[in-house]
Amino acid sequence: MDKLRIIGGHRLSGRVEVSGAKNASLPAMAASLLTDKTLKLDNVPAVWDSATMRRLLGELGAQLQQVKPDDPHRFEISVPSVRSFEAPYELVKTMRASVLVLGPLLARHGRARVSLPGGCAIGARPIDLHLSALEKLGATVRIEHGFVDVQSDGLRGAEIYFDNVTVTGTENILMAACLAKGETLLGNCAQEPEVVDLADLLGRMGARIEGAGTRTIRVAGVERLEGATHSVIPDRIEAGTLIVAGAIAGDEIEVVHCDPHHLTALLEKLSEIGIESEVGEKLVRVKGGAGLRAANLRTLPYPGFPTDMQAQLMTLLTQAEGTSLVAETIFENRFMHVAELNRMGADVGLDGRTAVVKGPTPLSGARVMATDLRASACLVVAGLAAQGQTLIDRVYHLDRGYERLEEKLARLGAEIERLQQ
Ligand code: UD1
């Protein structure tokens, strides 16, 4: 298992490019199941989760071909016919977003069998909302032997209200509704940019969708979808992680190929903490600051502060003067990084779903363990600011969602290397 070694205290400067959004590329790839024509995707990040989705689609019968052999970000996918209806346990357990094949497989082929994802490090994460929405579209849902088996002899449009805002749930049902007969009205939808990106792609494939990016999405079902070409939006969480790295350890860095409109909640919070940023077209410039101020934070569905940035921002708050309250409202157990940050010298206490961060506390390098994707990013950020050496174990969590983060940070001047084992 690879490790990352960071020697903290180096000031970062220069320009760094953001990759395509992992969380937009996964539904975009799953959408290939909706048609027998070819999807040409660009700006897909070369991260493990994308590779897992490629493998899963391959098992289901997809043919994938890179446009250029040396460029993993651009490829064509087509599923002329489905070879299997099943997303196996081995793949779903490594990537919960495998559940995104449920809606499109069912819509085009009338059947899907997906291993139930079960719990994960950050919480129980059920898929009940996906399933009840599919039932409303006319599917029968059976759960047996750890699999969910959905079948239908033709989906019909329906009125569906999500009790809770769910990102992949909205995406799954949106894909299914495109091929359902008649109109579907989806209420309390996720408004995340990744949902809008998927709707853009589906629109290019011939779907009739209105309202993506708002709480209510209306879909008029069509008989078939065509091929399309699509470039995935930039990864707002990677951009945010780099911006926080700049805030904690930067002289000045420029984060390019990002969409600053997707980063508003983060940039406003940084300004409250005392970090100045400047926004240009597709770029954010950020200066590291001294005299940071404590701030309170609540994770919320978009456009609120993203749960996927909570851990990284908490690291920055350890360097701010005063007490910050960080409330996690999306996932019940997303504070696994707290114990590791405390081992590096932070003073973070937990009170239910709120973390109490007292600062500033100097951070010192330590051996730490990544527990999930975003927790590993927060430990990297902490390592950049810490005195001495930080050794991060279980870096595979980071590789699921970040494309060569250590190389990007090294180019900005960080002393960071991957130890391959
Ligand atoms: C997606 C993102 C993930 C992000 C999360 C919240 C992808 C691939 N992943 O995950 O990075 O952290 O959104 O922004 O896009 N819930 C239910 N029942 C359901 C579905 C969800 O109770 O059927 C609950 C979840 O347990 C959680 C909350 O709803 O508490 C939000 O989860 P959801 O938006 O579905 O997260 P994901 O789509 O899995």
Side-chain angles (χ1 to χ4, degrees):
M1 274 192 278
D2 292 0
K3 293 185 173 55
L4 282 186
R5 193 170 80 97
I6 306 173
I7 308 292
H10 295 269
R11 304 304 294 172
L12 309 183
S13 65
R15 147 188 280 241
V16 58
E17 274 182 23
V18 174
S19 299
K22 167 182 91 73
N23 285 354
S25 70
L26 301 177
M29 291 163 76
S32 65
L33 292 165
L34 289 165
T35 175
D36 58 0
K37 303 289 185 325
T38 302
L39 287 193
K40 293 183 184 170
L41 298 179
D42 192 5
N43 206 32
V44 176
V47 296
W48 278 24
D49 273 9
S50 308
T52 305
M53 186 55 100
R54 284 169 74 146
R55 266 181 66 200
L56 173 56
L57 293 174
E59 298 229 346
L60 300 176
Q63 296 167 2
L64 284 103
Q65 196 168 20
Q66 279 180 202
V67 176
K68 288 189 191 153
D70 58 347
D71 182 1
H73 308 101
R74 281 170 69 193
F75 51 85
E76 299 184 354
I77 317 183
S78 61
V79 192
S81 63
V82 168
R83 199 171 53 214
S84 154
F85 298 98
E86 187 171 306
Y89 176 70
E90 288 66 36
L91 291 177
V92 180
K93 78 167 189 227
T94 61
M95 186 183 71
R96 299 177 46 83
S98 306
V99 76
L100 280 166
V101 301
L102 200 56
L105 262 185
L106 175 72
R108 180 167 150 212
H109 309 286
R111 182 159 184 208
R113 203 170 122 84
V114 174
S115 172
L116 278 171
C120 69
I122 62 175
R125 297 183 83 170
I127 57 163
D128 55 315
L129 300 172
H130 304 231
L131 300 182
S132 60
L134 289 175
E135 277 179 330
K136 290 223 174 84
L137 291 176
T140 53
V141 176
R142 273 187 311 145
I143 294 180
E144 53 187 17
H145 308 300
F147 278 81
V148 53
D149 197 324
V150 287
Q151 293 193 43
S152 125
D153 47 17
L155 297 176
R156 291 177 309 278
E159 213 166 293
I160 293 164
Y161 180 86
F162 293 103
D163 282 345
N164 219 330
V165 176
T166 162
V167 178
T168 49
T170 302
E171 293 165 346
N172 230 338
I173 306 312
L174 182 59
M175 288 190 276
C178 287
L179 290 180
K181 207 173 169 65
E183 187 172 281
T184 298
L185 195 64
L186 301 175
N188 200 26
C189 294
Q191 296 172 280
E192 268 67 359
E194 293 76 16
V195 173
V196 178
D197 197 48
L198 173 64
D200 283 349
L201 166 62
L202 294 169
R204 282 197 202 114
M205 293 168 70
R208 291 168 56 207
I209 300 168
E210 274 172 28
T214 72
R215 283 270 170 257
T216 307
I217 302 181
R218 195 179 285 273
V219 186
V222 293
E223 267 193 20
R224 74 179 61 81
L225 292 171
E226 305 297 331
T229 299
H230 183 71
S231 183
V232 171
I233 54 169
D235 196 308
R236 64 195 166 99
I237 306 301
E238 187 204 9
T241 303
L242 292 165
I243 289 168
V244 171
I248 206 165
D251 281 335
E252 179 174 301
I253 68 163
E254 201 171 75
V255 178
V256 301
H257 290 187
C258 64
D259 187 338
H261 301 294
H262 298 164
L263 295 163
T264 307
L266 171 68
L267 297 180
E268 284 188 7
K269 194 51 70 180
L270 289 176
S271 151
E272 195 184 326
I273 295 169
I275 294 289
E276 288 317 318
S277 59
E278 202 185 311
V279 164
E281 206 198 335
K282 296 194 180 166
L283 70 84
V284 174
R285 240 172 252 120
V286 63
K287 277 194 183 138
L292 304 183
R293 301 179 290 270
N296 296 337
L297 172 73
R298 242 174 114 72
T299 61
L300 287 170
Y302 189 85
F305 191 93
T307 174
D308 286 350
M309 280 302 302
Q310 178 255 108
Q312 302 88 314
L313 204 87
M314 186 186 290
T315 307
L316 182 65
L317 288 172
T318 66
Q319 303 308 299
E321 174 78 42
T323 301
S324 303
L325 300 181
V326 177
E328 173 57 59
T329 76
I330 309 287
F331 293 113
E332 67 268 29
N333 192 23
R334 206 170 206 181
F335 284 132
M336 308 278 279
H337 47 284
V338 165
E340 297 298 272
L341 283 178
N342 284 344
R343 292 184 55 245
M344 294 178 73
D347 180 355
V348 185
L350 285 178
D351 182 8
R353 288 173 76 161
T354 300
V356 182
V357 185
K358 293 188 182 146
T361 47
L363 297 175
S364 63
R367 278 193 77 146
V368 287
M369 196 159 72
T371 48
D372 66 74
L373 174 54
R374 306 306 170 183
S376 29
C378 108
L379 296 176
V380 172
V381 171
L384 297 174
Q387 204 205 10
Q389 172 175 295
T390 296
L391 203 59
I392 304 177
D393 211 344
R394 302 204 179 166
V395 176
Y396 58 84
H397 287 295
L398 192 77
D399 295 332
R400 283 189 44 209
Y402 290 88
E403 185 172 336
R404 301 170 188 230
L405 184 61
E406 75 280 10
E407 289 178 21
K408 293 188 183 189
L409 291 169
R411 281 199 291 275
L412 290 173
E415 192 174 339
I416 177 168
E417 64 174 338
R418 179 178 291 257
L419 307 177
Q420 274 166 343
Q421 303 201 329

